[in-house]
C-alpha cells in the first residue's frame, strides 16, 4: 500500500459524458501527479500540482482539467469523453519538487468509455 | 526532451534463472532514473532509483541496476528469478523541467516466469 488513494476504482460511462477522478496523496506530500496508461500510448504524464498550484503540464488534452484543493487532494476532470479516453488513470504523489524524489503511485482508476 | 527505450516488450525466463531487463534513456543532463514494477491490476511500485553516487544501485526484492553513462543505460538485474516476479517492469527518467518533475516512462517489459 503506497498511501495514495484513488476513487473510484472503476468507471464506466458513455461518449460525450464528463467524469471526475479523485486522488488523496500520502500524508505530508505536497506534489500530486496524474498519469494516463493506455495500450497505444503507454504511460504518459498529464499534469502536476504542487501545494495547490499547477507546476507542469504534459500531454493533457484541453478536454481534461485538474485541480488540487487546500487539503491537497486532487481531482482530474475529463469531459466530452471519447472512446479513446478509455485508460487507466494513475495519481502519484511526492514530498516536493525535486526530480530525485520518489513518486508513489495509487492503484489507479480504470475508465471505460462506451 | 527526455525519452526512455525498453527494447524488449516480452521476456520469458525460467524460475531460478538470472534476469536482465534493458533500459536506454536520452536526457541532456544528469538523469534521475527509476525502475517500477506493475503487477496485474495493481499500481506501480518503486524497485530502485539512481540520482548520484555509486552506479550500482540495490533495490527491493533482490533487484539491482547499474547506471552506465557512456551507454546511456540503466539495466535492471536479478540473479535468481522467482515466480512472483512475473509482472510488467517500467524504466523511467525524471527531470525537473519548467519547475515540475515529471516522469517519462519506457514502454515497459512484460516478464513471464516458467516453472
Amino acid at each position: 500500500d503506497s498511501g495514495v488513494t484513488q476513487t473510484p476504482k472503476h468507471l464506466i460511462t458513455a461518449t460525450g459524458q464528463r467524469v471526475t477522478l479523485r486522488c488523496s496523496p500520502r500524508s505530508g506530500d505536497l506534489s500530486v501527479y496524474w498519469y494516463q496508461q493506455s495500450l497505444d500510448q503507454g504511460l504518459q504524464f498529464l499534469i502536476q500540482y504542487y501545494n495547490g498550484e499547477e507546476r507542469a503540464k504534459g500531454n493533457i488534452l484541453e478536454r481534461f482539467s485538474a485541480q488540487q484543493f487546500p487539503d491537497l487532494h486532487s481531482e482530474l476532470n475529463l469531459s466530452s469523453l471519447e472512446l479513446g479516453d478509455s485508460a487507466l488513470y494513475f495519481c502519484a504523489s511526492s514530498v516536493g519538487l525535486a526530480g530525485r524524489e520518489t513518486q508513489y503511485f495509487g492503484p489507479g482508476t480504470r475508465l471505460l468509455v462506451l | 526532451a527526455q525519452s526512455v527505450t525498453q527494447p524488449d516488450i516480452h521476456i520469458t525466463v525460467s524460475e531460478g534463472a538470472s534476469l536482465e531487463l534493458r533500459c536506454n534513456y536520452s536526457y541532456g543532463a544528469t538523469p534521475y532514473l527509476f525502475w517500477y514494477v506493475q503487477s496485474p491490476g495493481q499500481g506501480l511500485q518503486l524497485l530502485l532509483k539512481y540520482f548520484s553516487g555509486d552506479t550500482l544501485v540495490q533495490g527491493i526484492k533482490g533487484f539491482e541496476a547499474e547506471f552506465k553513462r557512456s551507454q546511456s543505460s540503466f539495466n535492471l538485474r536479478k540473479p535468481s528469478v522467482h515466480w512472483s516476479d512475473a509482472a510488467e517492469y517500467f524504466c523511467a527518467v525524471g527531470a525537473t523541467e519548467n519547475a515540475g518533475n515529471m516522469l517519462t516512462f519506457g514502454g515497459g517489459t512484460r516478464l513471464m516466469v516458467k516453472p
Side-chain angles (χ1 to χ4, degrees):
Chain A
D1 184 359
S2 68
V4 179
T5 60
Q6 290 187 248
T7 57
K9 282 189 176 179
H10 303 275
L11 202 47
I12 302 175
T13 188
T15 54
Q17 295 299 303
R18 172 190 170 94
V19 297
T20 297
L21 313 184
R22 182 188 169 104
C23 168
S24 293
R26 293 188 324 152
S27 177
D29 285 358
L30 298 179
S31 273
V32 169
Y33 312 78
W34 287 97
Y35 292 86
Q36 179 195 59
Q37 185 179 34
S38 63
L39 283 175
D40 52 347
Q41 298 291 326
L43 259 169
Q44 286 199 102
F45 167 74
L46 294 179
I47 197 164
Q48 177 198 5
Y49 279 82
Y50 174 77
N51 204 22
E53 292 187 5
E54 182 185 304
R55 298 295 287 208
K57 239 177 180 177
N59 298 321
I60 187 166
L61 299 171
E62 285 191 11
R63 301 184 284 109
F64 296 1
S65 64
Q67 55 184 325
Q68 186 180 28
F69 296 86
D71 67 352
L72 301 177
H73 91 271
S74 178
E75 293 181 356
L76 179 67
N77 300 295
L78 315 177
S79 61
S80 303
L81 285 166
E82 302 175 0
L83 296 178
D85 298 327
S86 296
L88 189 52
Y89 291 85
F90 285 112
C91 170
S93 73
S94 69
V95 172
L97 290 170
R100 65 181 64 184
E101 291 177 7
T102 298
Q103 293 184 23
Y104 294 89
F105 282 75
T109 293
R110 186 170 294 279
L111 173 66
L112 181 59
V113 182
L114 300 175
Chain B
Q2 64 267 30
S3 65
V4 178
T5 302
Q6 294 180 246
D8 305 304
I9 298 175
H10 297 280
I11 282 187
T12 301
V13 299
S14 297
E15 191 168 16
S18 63
L19 171 70
E20 182 169 27
L21 303 182
R22 296 184 291 164
C23 171
N24 293 99
Y25 69 89
S26 173
Y27 185 59
T30 299
Y32 302 124
L33 295 162
F34 304 81
W35 274 100
Y36 282 86
V37 60
Q38 183 180 24
S39 299
Q42 303 292 315
L44 286 88
Q45 181 184 24
L46 180 73
L47 288 175
L48 47 79
K49 65 180 181 181
Y50 170 81
F51 54 88
S52 68
D54 193 345
T55 56
L56 186 61
V57 181
Q58 301 298 319
I60 63 171
K61 304 185 180 186
F63 285 93
E64 66 178 28
E66 187 170 11
F67 169 60
K68 292 185 178 180
R69 185 186 299 274
S70 61
Q71 298 176 21
S72 297
S73 69
F74 189 56
N75 294 349
L76 182 71
R77 301 193 294 249
K78 186 169 185 178
S80 177
V81 169
H82 188 262
W83 64 266
S84 61
D85 293 323
E88 188 147 25
Y89 292 79
F90 292 93
C91 181
V93 60
T96 303
E97 291 187 356
N98 300 320
N101 50 326
M102 53 188 275
L103 288 176
T104 299
F105 286 89
T109 297
R110 184 168 297 279
L111 172 66
M112 290 177 283
V113 181
K114 290 191 301 186

